[in-house]
Amino acid sequence: MATLTIVYFAWVREAIGRDEEQVERAQAGNTVADLIAMLAARGGGYAQALGDPARLRAAIDQRFAPLDTPIGDAREIALFPPVTGG
């Protein structure tokens, strides 16, 4: 079965306790939001980091993407907090 790499950055990584992981594509759902909901349902650090999707940004195969973007045949999804600059 095909897998999808999920990469975590900043406080998302710290709360979850890992840099990345592999999930079965069939479990990921259709959109990035579906994937986030599936991961948050694991509880613990996942729920803490991913429980409020409005606090998250995503990239699909290293391109910024809204959370309602279909996963399609992506190989990697990165989840991270909003980036600010000065």
Side-chain angles (χ1 to χ4, degrees):
M1 191 171 270
T3 60
L4 179 63
T5 300
I6 313 301
V7 183
Y8 305 109
F9 292 95
W11 55 258
V12 177
R13 176 184 60 222
E14 292 170 12
I16 291 172
R18 57 189 346 170
D19 295 338
E20 68 178 52
E21 66 181 297
Q22 305 284 319
V23 297
E24 295 296 328
R25 186 174 298 280
Q27 297 175 339
N30 294 319
T31 67
V32 175
D34 293 340
L35 171 66
I36 291 170
M38 182 273 295
L39 292 168
R42 292 179 174 177
Y46 288 95
Q48 177 186 350
L50 307 175
D52 182 5
R55 298 177 58 208
L56 298 170
R57 299 297 179 265
I60 297 177
D61 292 332
Q62 301 183 2
R63 292 180 187 256
F64 287 111
L67 300 184
D68 62 353
T69 302
I71 292 172
D73 59 355
R75 294 178 16 207
E76 177 187 274
I77 295 180
L79 299 174
F80 47 91
V83 178
T84 61

